[in-house]
Amino acid sequence: MSELLYYDLKDVAGVAPSLATQVCRELGRRIVGGLVREGALIDDENKLCERFGVSKSVVREAVKLLVAKGLLEVRRGSGTRVRRRASWSLLDDDVLAWHLSVEPRPGFLNQLLEVRQVFEPSAAAWAAKSATRDQIDEIRAAQRKMENAEEIQDYVVADALFHRAVLRAANNEVLMAMEGVIFSALLSSIRLTNADPRDNKRSIPLHQKVLAAIEAQDADAAEAAMKEHLEGTRERLAQFTADESEGK
Amino acid sequence: MSELLYYDLKDVAGVAPSLATQVCRELGRRIVGGLVREGALIDDENKLCERFGVSKSVVREAVKLLVAKGLLEVRRGSGTRVRRRASWSLLDDDVLAWHLSVEPRPGFLNQLLEVRQVFEPSAAAWAAKSATRDQIDEIRAAQRKMENAEEIQDYVVADALFHRAVLRAANNEVLMAMEGVIFSALLSSIRLTNADPRDNKRSIPLHQKVLAAIEAQDADAAEAAMKEHLEGTRERLAQFTADESEGK
DNA sequence: ATGATACTAAACATCAGATGTTTCAATTGT
DNA sequence: ACAATTGAAACATCTGATGTTTAGTATCAT
């Protein structure tokens, strides 16, 4: 197990993830990245042990994890194969992260944003109706962090925290489970828009608008403001990917 | 491993799931069901082996699966503990199913339906814009099945197929990953409204309306029709849970 | 030739037990 | 008291043996 050793945002700083986790990530990235065709058999357990230099237990745990994420299907006797893309758990944090770390297609980012455009405005509306004082404080704190951020990274993280806080304030457990989707989407937007910090700061007033509406318990305004903000994000993404495919 | 042996909808008929899967389900159900407090340590590997009568490999695989689903957190040296509820992957098919198979609170079903009310109308709108002929055929086929269903079970399954077909026709991969949410929600509604078949048949014209709008490529109408349908479902659920808590 | 049966190799499933590593807490020496 | 040491508990990994299922192949009777 020398070639591997992946670190992830989820890992606590300095602590190496278990071998099983590492093998899982390596295989997951390759599958999501399309290096193994859908429906194709992957190497058998022994081959995998050899390839990664680990024991069978480790390989088995890794494979099981990928089965749980819908990426693999193992059949005793015949082997382990990649399931068709439609069966993958795209809402799983890891699967999503692998997609975004590997996926060059702008189409996927678009689809992700489309989905955010659907549920985040509703989340804002619900937050306006049901947010507690603490939850509003959390949103406000994120807003302040965005305003005070000097480094682009701090800004983007604060942005993500803002959206997560709104999601939490909606007080819907199922919705809250989409937290990972937001973080992943934001994270990948870092890569795209990293270049131009000024462009990002532009979205502060729109966040402010969302916050104000939630503070005022005005559900309609909150929904509209969030919708407006995401529409802006979408336009910028479209413009950026256009530049990308054309200019480069 | 005698006491266990759970079967699930996912299992192919007649094929017993692996021991690891069974142990995973048993532990998962107990955790989701609240038999183990959040933050509490669970039994160590040896104890679990003893309790379930399986070897350590099996227990480890099961635990790893639950870690992947966000239910557990293992720390070498100190033990394995239940993560706080907010960290659970509520969108994972299994976790969702465990919730619904165990959760007595009507609040959760409500939240699930709220989320459906958010994204299914949009899915219908997108389907109206981008569905292929085959995808529309799939929706229509489900509609016919609902109309021709004689048994209540066939009816409910057809209902689920209808909603899934709409989701697919939206041609958004991320959205499609919410398929499991719909099936789980529908499945649990079986238990609630099982009693009155006539009441269910009432929703056929609303499904028809959605189908017609999608066929006509009228996005606004499709969105409105789906919204109307889900609103009806919601009212019935509210009424039903009211009866439940009052009458019984 | 053809169809059914039996055999076999491949691949996953499970078990058992040994050894390493990390954490936490109790013990010990000052 | 306090800091360092020690040891038990618990997870991580390895090894190798044995069982089960599957798919393909070879064989044999008709």
Side-chain angles (χ1 to χ4, degrees):
Chain A
M1 200 64 189
S2 46
E3 352 157 16
L4 295 182
L5 239 198
Y6 284 110
Y7 285 91
D8 223 87
L9 284 187
K10 292 201 299 187
D11 304 327
V12 186
V15 177
S18 73
L19 289 183
T21 304
Q22 291 177 53
V23 171
C24 173
R25 282 179 191 165
E26 171 69 13
L27 286 175
R29 285 213 177 85
R30 291 196 192 192
I31 293 169
V32 172
L35 298 183
V36 197
R37 283 197 319 280
E38 297 175 39
L41 285 171
I42 66 171
D43 290 348
D44 65 66
E45 289 180 347
N46 289 328
K47 280 248 178 58
L48 290 177
C49 292
E50 202 181 320
R51 245 178 63 189
F52 293 119
V54 297
S55 76
K56 208 163 48 179
S57 341
V58 171
V59 166
R60 280 184 58 79
E61 280 184 17
V63 168
K64 272 283 159 59
L65 289 179
L66 292 171
V67 169
K69 293 176 190 303
L71 266 56
L72 292 179
E73 174 189 27
V74 333
R75 277 212 296 260
R76 175 182 180 136
S78 70
T80 300
R81 62 187 67 236
V82 177
R83 292 182 70 186
R84 60 185 213 291
R85 195 184 175 80
S87 303
W88 299 355
S89 301
L90 241 43
L91 297 176
D92 177 276
D93 292 1
D94 291 324
V95 177
L96 204 48
W98 296 334
H99 250 89
L100 296 174
S101 77
V102 109
E103 182 75 30
R105 296 182 305 167
F108 187 75
L109 268 179
N110 241 318
Q111 293 186 347
L112 206 51
L113 194 52
E114 276 178 354
V115 171
R116 283 185 64 198
Q117 283 187 291
V118 167
F119 70 81
E120 284 202 63
S122 292
W126 295 343
K129 278 187 268 188
S130 74
T132 66
R133 189 178 310 274
D134 285 350
Q135 289 171 334
I136 292 181
D137 285 345
E138 193 184 343
I139 302 175
R140 194 180 297 117
Q143 168 74 15
R144 290 235 178 81
K145 258 189 198 159
M146 284 181 73
E147 287 167 356
N148 298 332
E150 300 187 348
E151 297 293 324
I152 178 71
Q153 292 166 333
D154 297 338
Y155 180 85
V156 175
V157 170
D159 191 350
L161 289 177
F162 181 94
H163 286 272
R164 185 178 70 173
V166 171
L167 215 54
R168 285 184 177 167
N171 288 308
N172 179 310
E173 289 185 320
V174 183
L175 201 61
M176 226 174 288
M178 312 249 345
E179 180 181 311
V181 174
I182 289 185
F183 266 94
S184 295
L186 262 290
L187 206 68
S188 64
S189 85
I190 297 176
R191 285 204 196 81
L192 277 179
T193 60
N194 213 348
D196 194 351
R198 281 166 303 142
D199 200 49
N200 267 325
K201 281 276 185 182
R202 206 169 55 183
S203 68
I204 284 191
L206 288 174
H207 281 84
Q208 175 58 47
K209 216 164 161 184
V210 173
L211 171 59
I214 292 177
E215 283 175 324
Q217 303 191 355
D218 184 340
D220 291 338
E223 183 168 352
M226 182 64 92
K227 204 172 276 183
E228 186 186 354
H229 164 42
L230 289 171
E231 190 51 47
T233 306
R234 187 178 165 74
E235 278 167 15
R236 249 178 302 158
L237 174 66
Q239 180 190 331
F240 208 93
T241 51
D243 291 354
E244 186 86 341
S245 62
E246 186 189 323
K248 180 70 191 216
Chain B
M1 200 63 191
S2 47
E3 352 156 16
L4 295 181
L5 236 196
Y6 284 111
Y7 285 91
D8 224 87
L9 284 186
K10 290 202 301 187
D11 303 327
V12 185
V15 177
S18 73
L19 288 181
T21 305
Q22 291 177 53
V23 172
C24 173
R25 283 179 191 164
E26 171 70 13
L27 287 175
R29 286 213 178 85
R30 292 196 191 191
I31 293 170
V32 172
L35 298 183
V36 197
R37 282 197 319 281
E38 298 174 40
L41 286 172
I42 67 170
D43 290 347
D44 64 67
E45 288 179 348
N46 289 328
K47 280 250 177 58
L48 289 177
C49 291
E50 201 181 319
R51 244 177 64 188
F52 293 119
V54 297
S55 75
K56 209 161 48 179
S57 337
V58 171
V59 166
R60 280 184 58 79
E61 280 184 15
V63 168
K64 273 283 158 62
L65 289 180
L66 293 171
V67 169
K69 293 177 190 304
L71 265 56
L72 293 178
E73 173 190 29
V74 332
R75 278 212 296 260
R76 178 189 215 167
S78 68
T80 301
R81 62 187 68 235
V82 178
R83 293 180 70 186
R84 62 185 209 290
R85 194 183 175 80
S87 303
W88 299 355
S89 301
L90 241 43
L91 296 175
D92 177 276
D93 292 0
D94 291 322
V95 177
L96 204 48
W98 296 334
H99 251 87
L100 296 174
S101 78
V102 109
E103 182 75 31
R105 296 182 305 166
F108 188 75
L109 268 180
N110 240 320
Q111 293 185 349
L112 206 52
L113 194 52
E114 277 179 353
V115 171
R116 283 185 64 197
Q117 282 187 291
V118 167
F119 70 81
E120 285 202 61
S122 292
W126 296 343
K129 278 187 267 186
S130 73
T132 65
R133 189 177 311 275
D134 286 349
Q135 289 171 334
I136 291 181
D137 286 345
E138 191 183 344
I139 302 175
R140 194 182 295 118
Q143 167 75 14
R144 290 234 177 82
K145 258 189 198 158
M146 284 181 72
E147 287 167 357
N148 299 332
E150 300 186 348
E151 298 294 326
I152 178 71
Q153 292 165 334
D154 297 339
Y155 180 85
V156 175
V157 170
D159 191 350
L161 289 177
F162 181 94
H163 287 271
R164 186 177 70 173
V166 172
L167 215 55
R168 285 185 178 168
N171 287 307
N172 179 310
E173 288 186 320
V174 182
L175 202 60
M176 228 174 289
M178 314 255 331
E179 181 181 309
V181 174
I182 288 186
F183 266 94
S184 295
L186 263 289
L187 205 67
S188 65
S189 86
I190 297 177
R191 283 204 198 81
L192 276 179
T193 61
N194 215 346
D196 194 351
R198 281 166 304 143
D199 200 51
N200 267 325
K201 280 276 185 182
R202 206 170 55 185
S203 66
I204 284 191
L206 288 173
H207 281 84
Q208 175 58 46
K209 216 163 159 183
V210 173
L211 170 60
I214 292 176
E215 282 175 325
Q217 302 190 353
D218 184 340
D220 291 338
E223 183 168 351
M226 181 64 92
K227 204 173 276 183
E228 187 186 353
H229 165 42
L230 289 171
E231 190 52 46
T233 305
R234 186 177 166 74
E235 278 168 15
R236 249 178 301 159
L237 174 66
Q239 180 189 332
F240 208 93
T241 51
D243 291 353
E244 186 83 344
S245 62
E246 185 188 323
K248 181 74 189 202

